[in-house]
Amino acid sequence: MPELPEVEAIRRKLAPRLKGKRIRGVHILRASVTKPQPPPLLQELATGRTVRKVYRRGKNLFVELSGGYTIRVHLRMTGDLYLSRAVELPASVRLWLELGGGGKLVFDDRRALGTVHVHSPEEVASLLSKLGPEPLSKDFTPERLAGAARRSSRPAKLFLMDQARVAGLGNIYAAEALHRAGIDPRKPARRIRPAQAKALHSAIVAVLRDAVKSATTTYTRPGDFGETESFPRVVYGREGEPCPVCGGRIRRIGQGGRSTYFCPACQK
Ligand SMILES: [Zn+2]
């Protein structure tokens, strides 16, 4: 499930190879991938353009084109974006861009929940303004995190997953950061004390830094993420196993329709 670290790994891999490439054609194999935009819009606005840069904000990947338009890819649960020279593409491919020089930029998505949209500069600015600070940037400070937490009555885990609060944290790394900071995922965000907010800030940065490193080294070919990823998960997916800090049992609860893993002894 791609979160910030996986999207960042994909960006690092693609950015130098895509820069300067011309898009010769857009092949949309499943119309729902561009919803609610009609597929011809992407075809019309991207064809003939050149890739200026590839950047990431939160879990969004942006491919900025000459002429001002930007393609935005959101991988959701099973999306993957990679370069290929294969003649026959897998059945799970939803869309591909034909690149100058013969390569293909392929959007592969087994569960078909990911999206590919095209945006004007104004739309990109509006999208970016709705995202919270980038957790691995200078904008993300303990004070800013504490301030946002004070204004939220949601449980800490759901607060962290809100992309308007912190951009890029999902189910896995939110759980890991809360465990590292010793915060109960059910605790209302506004009750997080200043010292805890400071610990949470450090935990988020540390967890994501390690995870980006791990994802970047692990990501060698499409579909390579997931179970094979080497990032050591302390609580996520470990219900009933001993907590590596205190030896207590890790619990799983439901929050916002997803599983939350935590150690009731360590996390208060
Ligand atoms: Zn514990």
Side-chain angles (χ1 to χ4, degrees), residues 1-2 7-8 29 63 68 92 99 119 145 153 171 175 201 220 237:
M1 197 180 312
V7 180
E8 178 59 21
L29 310 180
V63 180
S92 48
L99 302 172
H119 298 293
L145 180 67
S153 52
N171 209 30
H201 175 269
T220 50

Side-chain angles (χ1 to χ4, degrees), residues 99-256:
L99 302 172
K104 297 172 178 177
L105 177 65
V106 175
F107 180 63
D108 193 322
D109 187 8
R110 197 164 37 79
R111 286 180 62 182
L113 296 167
T115 54
V116 181
H117 292 125
V118 62
H119 298 293
S120 67
E122 296 74 28
E123 287 167 344
V124 170
S126 159
L127 283 163
L128 295 182
S129 73
K130 287 179 191 128
L131 288 173
E134 190 61 35
L136 295 179
S137 77
K138 291 193 302 286
D139 294 343
F140 184 59
T141 60
E143 295 72 31
R144 197 160 170 187
L145 180 67
R150 268 197 306 277
R151 293 188 297 273
S152 172
S153 52
R154 308 182 75 191
K157 162 93 175 320
L158 300 181
F159 163 76
L160 286 184
M161 287 175 65
D162 180 350
Q163 300 300 298
R165 306 297 189 178
V166 186
L169 274 182
N171 209 30
I172 298 170
Y173 301 111
E176 295 295 329
L178 284 167
H179 180 268
R180 202 180 287 214
I183 298 172
D184 190 317
R186 300 165 295 184
K187 187 185 185 105
R190 64 183 150 76
R191 290 222 208 108
I192 295 174
R193 296 187 309 274
Q196 281 186 311
K198 212 166 172 211
L200 182 57
H201 175 269
S202 307
I204 291 169
V205 172
V207 162
L208 289 178
R209 278 225 176 101
D210 287 356
V212 166
K213 211 183 282 171
S214 151
T216 309
T217 45
T218 316
Y219 186 73
T220 50
R221 60 170 192 272
D224 219 16
F225 288 134
E227 300 312 308
T228 57
E229 205 174 320
S230 61
F231 180 77
R233 289 171 190 166
V234 175
V235 284
Y236 185 84
R238 297 191 175 276
E239 183 183 16
E241 292 181 33
C243 166
V245 175
C246 73
R249 291 228 175 277
I250 290 164
R251 256 187 82 188
R252 179 172 68 89
I253 55 166
Q255 276 188 308

